[in-house]
């Protein structure tokens, strides 16, 4: 059976990198006595994959991992069992059964929501003016940047990759393209905006939290984003 788990990553856990998070959850599975399936061969390992691993220093209220299990209790019981053995800063929010035909989370990721809030001492004096300029920046027909890739540098137009950009109180909300093809970090958007203002983006000016991760179920040319959690069903 394929299972999708949604969890949070908060507090000091934001400093834990992806490989250590994998090791952490391997221990959680053993301590919570999850009947997880292991691969075959000389060195068997737990069958587990993560959707769009989070960068170090970012928090999240919507991280996902997929596992395969041989047997399972109901969703509520499994969430409680895992949370009893979790370290402070991580918490399982849901445990859902996927259809056998459902692709793993890593391969279907298409977009993510982020909330960016100013750290103490970095909030602009004219906050209203800041957001007016930000929305003006987002309305440009093109937002060209130079992006570093494994093969070097390439010019990228951010405009079609920013799906939503708005003000939420004193914070910036962004919904951007995410995944293996066009993966846009919110920091890239803010760096481009600060250049638009004629300034350099202070690297630690904002705290960034990922709020949700989506798959795109739309037909070609149309976007229909669905939270990864909603592709599964609770086990009663």
């Amino acid at each position: 059976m394929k299972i999708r788990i949604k969890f949070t990553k908060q507090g000091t856990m934001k400093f834990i990198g992806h490989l250590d998070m994998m090791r952490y959850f391997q221990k959680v599975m053993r301590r919570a006595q999850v009947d997880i399936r292991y691969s075959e061969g000389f060195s068997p390992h737990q069958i587990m994959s993560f959707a769009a691993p989070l960068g170090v220093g970012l928090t999240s209220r919507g991280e996902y991992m997929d596992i395969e299990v041989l047997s399972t209790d109901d969703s509520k019981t499994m969430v409680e069992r895992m949370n009893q053995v979790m370290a402070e800063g991580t918490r399982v929010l849901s445990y859902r059964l996927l259809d056998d035909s459902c692709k793993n989370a890593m391969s279907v990721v298409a977009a993510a929501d982020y909330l960016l809030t100013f750290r103490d001492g970095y909030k602009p004096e004219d906050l209203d003016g800041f957001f007016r300029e930000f929305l003006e920046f987002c309305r440009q027909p093109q937002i060209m940047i130079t992006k570093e890739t494994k093969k070097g540098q390439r010019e990228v137009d951010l405009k079609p990759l920013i799906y939503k950009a708005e003000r939420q109180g004193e914070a910036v909300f962004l919904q951007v393209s995410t995944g293996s093809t066009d993966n846009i970090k919110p920091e890239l958007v803010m760096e481009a905006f600060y250049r638009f203002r004629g300034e350099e983006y202070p690297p630690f000016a904002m705290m960034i939290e990922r709020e949700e991760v989506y798959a795109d179920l739309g037909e070609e040319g149309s976007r229909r984003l669905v939270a990864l959690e909603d592709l599964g069903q609770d086990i009663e």
Side-chain angles (χ1 to χ4, degrees):
M1 290 178 284
K2 295 180 179 180
I3 302 293
R4 178 157 295 159
I5 297 169
K6 183 178 184 179
F7 64 95
T8 65
K9 188 178 180 184
Q10 301 285 328
T12 56
M13 290 297 286
K14 69 182 180 181
F15 299 115
I16 303 299
H18 175 57
L19 292 179
D20 285 327
M21 284 300 293
M22 287 184 65
R23 297 186 189 101
Y24 165 73
F25 270 104
Q26 288 167 1
K27 294 176 182 177
V28 168
M29 296 300 152
R30 289 195 291 268
R31 290 171 179 165
Q33 297 182 333
V34 177
D35 190 13
I36 193 168
R37 184 182 163 208
Y38 281 77
S39 64
E40 298 177 358
F42 183 73
S43 180
H45 59 271
Q46 294 179 8
I47 296 179
M48 175 187 297
S49 64
F50 289 74
L54 193 67
V56 174
L58 278 63
T59 58
S60 177
R61 292 189 292 170
E63 292 302 284
Y64 290 93
M65 61 180 293
D66 288 351
I67 63 172
E68 291 187 25
V69 298
L70 300 175
S71 64
T72 182
D73 288 329
D74 62 272
S75 293
K76 182 179 178 182
T77 298
M78 297 305 293
V79 168
E80 290 174 351
R81 272 168 51 182
M82 283 187 285
N83 281 334
Q84 285 174 359
V85 300
M86 299 277 272
E88 183 179 352
T90 52
R91 185 169 181 80
V92 171
L93 301 178
S94 68
Y95 177 101
R96 292 192 155 188
L97 178 66
L98 298 175
D99 187 84
D100 287 341
S101 63
C102 190
K103 296 180 180 179
N104 68 48
M106 183 182 297
S107 65
V108 299
V109 170
D113 292 344
Y114 293 91
L115 195 66
L116 294 77
T117 54
F118 291 101
R119 295 183 188 275
D120 291 342
Y122 287 97
K123 185 167 69 175
E125 291 185 9
D126 181 8
L127 195 60
D128 290 336
F130 176 90
F131 280 107
R132 279 196 301 271
E133 285 188 61
F134 178 68
L135 296 178
E136 179 186 342
F137 160 79
C138 292
R139 285 193 291 265
Q140 294 179 101
Q142 280 189 322
I143 304 174
M144 300 303 299
I145 65 161
T146 301
K147 187 180 179 184
E148 296 285 345
T149 68
K150 293 179 180 178
K151 297 181 180 179
Q153 296 181 335
R154 67 183 178 101
E155 292 292 311
V156 176
D157 182 8
L158 285 180
K159 176 68 175 184
L161 306 178
I162 302 173
Y163 301 152
K164 289 183 183 178
E166 59 190 33
R167 176 180 184 175
Q168 289 191 2
E170 295 188 347
V172 175
F173 172 83
L174 289 172
Q175 184 180 86
V176 295
S177 174
T178 306
S180 58
T181 305
D182 292 307
N183 187 54
I184 299 303
K185 295 180 180 179
E187 300 96 309
L188 272 179
V189 178
M190 298 313 296
E191 287 170 7
F193 169 55
Y194 272 76
R195 281 197 299 273
F196 173 79
R197 300 186 80 201
E199 301 175 5
E200 185 174 343
Y201 174 63
F204 303 107
M206 308 189 89
M207 294 180 290
I208 303 174
E209 181 166 70
R210 184 148 70 188
E211 297 196 310
E212 189 56 89
V213 180
Y214 301 93
D216 187 357
L217 301 187
E219 302 295 331
E220 187 173 352
S222 66
R223 190 182 309 120
R224 183 166 73 88
L225 299 181
V226 177
L228 295 188
E229 179 182 29
D230 294 336
L231 298 178
Q233 300 292 327
D234 280 336
I235 304 169
E236 301 297 336

